[in-house]
Amino acid sequence: MRIGLIGYGRMGQAVERAATARGHMITGVIRRDTPLDACLQVAQQSDALIDFSHADAVLAHVELALQTRTPLIIGATGWDAQREAIAQQVQANGGSVLYAPNFSIAVQVFLQQAVSLAAQLLTLEGWDVAIEEIHHRGKADAPSGTARALATRLQHALDNRRTAQYPAPADHRLPDAQFSVGVVRIGSEFGTHRLMLDGPYDWIELTHRAKSRDGFAYGAVRAAEWLVGRTGFYNFAEVLHEILAHKEER
Ligand SMILES: NC(=O)c1ccc[n+]([C@@H]2O[C@H](COP(=O)([O-])OP(=O)(O)OC[C@H]3O[C@@H](n4cnc5c(N)ncnc54)[C@H](OP(=O)(O)O)[C@@H]3O)[C@@H](O)[C@H]2O)c1
């Protein structure tokens, strides 16, 4: 497969390694200052584009993908507010986009288990829940897209009886109907997400810690292999089982 990279920072470089390791070719890199005609050329020469750039640029990259009819993987985070409008634009134009706030396959399994664990225990009296995420100082958005996804899925599982509060209020106690989503920024940490459950007699923690960026890059390349030949707007978590079963392209 021929893959065009959008953004060539920490993740863009990890995707290049993961794609090459799976036998794919990198057609080119689209950077912040790449002229439009060069962006069009990279997109036209690619079977798929993989975007790990910045939230502010996601809409422009979707438009590039629609104009050139190139499938687009979006790994950049922090554009949740635009998601519905982008989904409609992609569907109305017969485009092909797959996104995830976290392309780690292990994180997707962690999220499923975390929601199930919390939903079961919070039916019991006296249990409380909180989420914490820890990332490197260079991360542009907070809380992380993964922490937001965990909070949203937990809210749904609890029928919105409890809602996420971020950041935690500084001037008053946290109402019982809310739970905290804590943010820590330190050094070069790749990404840690933790679910904490506090009960009358027990404390439970479930933690996922990325050992490198390679797991995110690997998941994004697997997603690109699956997306080629399909149209629609897809969420990685919702089609992960199909992606894992997909063996055509190596
Ligand atoms: N979904 C996942 O699994 C996952 C995992 C890790 C990270 N992320 C997200 O992926 C994004 C990138 O993370 P990172 O750690 O790689 O950040 P990074 O090291 O800062 O790299 C971002 C790169 O994108 C470039 N860029 C910014 N605006 C651009 C534009 N308009 N067009 C093209 N390139 C542009 C930046 O260029 P400049 O240096 O010139 O600004 C930089 O090279 C972030 O949103 C992060 O939260 C997602």
Side-chain angles (χ1 to χ4, degrees):
M1 212 164 76
R2 297 164 305 163
I3 295 178
L5 300 178
I6 306 180
Y8 197 60
R10 291 166 284 229
M11 277 307 303
Q13 291 168 45
V15 170
E16 181 177 38
R17 290 192 297 275
T20 311
R22 285 183 70 78
H24 303 307
M25 197 187 99
I26 303 300
T27 46
V29 176
I30 294 174
R31 298 169 196 264
R32 186 198 294 273
D33 55 358
T34 305
L36 182 61
D37 55 345
C39 294
L40 287 167
Q41 198 178 9
V42 170
Q44 279 158 353
Q45 289 173 351
S46 302
D47 299 308
L49 294 166
I50 301 185
D51 181 355
F52 280 95
S53 61
H54 192 276
D56 293 349
V58 163
L59 182 57
H61 299 151
V62 168
E63 284 166 357
L64 174 71
L66 290 177
Q67 188 181 343
T68 56
R69 308 204 69 72
T70 316
L72 172 66
I73 299 293
I74 306 177
T77 57
W79 53 281
D80 292 13
Q82 294 170 279
R83 190 161 64 207
E84 214 31 62
I86 287 180
Q88 281 173 16
Q89 193 178 350
V90 169
Q91 271 147 3
N93 288 282
S96 175
V97 171
L98 188 154
Y99 76 96
N102 195 313
F103 272 105
S104 158
I105 291 165
V107 160
Q108 297 304 331
V109 177
F110 161 83
L111 292 177
Q112 285 168 10
Q113 298 300 319
V115 171
S116 161
L117 188 63
Q120 284 183 63
L121 288 170
L122 288 168
T123 60
L124 301 174
E125 213 162 301
W127 280 84
D128 198 5
V129 64
I131 293 168
E132 182 184 48
E133 59 100 332
I134 308 172
H135 282 87
H136 57 89
R137 281 178 173 269
K139 184 160 177 60
D141 53 323
S144 69
T146 306
R148 286 177 187 271
L150 176 55
T152 305
R153 284 165 66 167
L154 189 53
Q155 280 178 201
H156 286 159
L158 298 173
D159 293 328
N160 288 318
R161 288 191 305 281
R162 295 197 198 197
T163 55
Q165 168 74 54
Y166 29 78
D171 56 348
H172 62 275
R173 65 176 288 277
L174 187 69
D176 290 346
Q178 295 183 347
F179 61 87
S180 299
V181 181
V183 172
V184 176
R185 293 288 172 263
I186 181 168
S188 55
E189 176 68 17
F190 298 120
T192 291
H193 291 90
R194 179 171 297 132
L195 175 85
M196 290 168 277
L197 289 157
D198 178 52
Y201 317 112
D202 314 85
W203 170 275
I204 297 180
E205 278 182 27
L206 189 63
T207 302
H208 173 272
R209 184 168 188 207
K211 287 160 72 177
S212 72
R213 292 186 175 81
D214 295 346
F216 309 125
Y218 173 79
V221 172
R222 290 287 302 264
E225 291 167 3
W226 178 86
L227 185 61
V228 171
R230 289 180 167 82
T231 55
F233 184 81
Y234 301 99
N235 174 341
F236 185 62
E238 286 165 7
V239 294
L240 181 62
H241 58 290
E242 288 186 37
I243 291 171
L244 294 178
H246 180 75
K247 295 201 171 59
E248 281 163 32
E249 187 83 50
R250 282 303 306 261

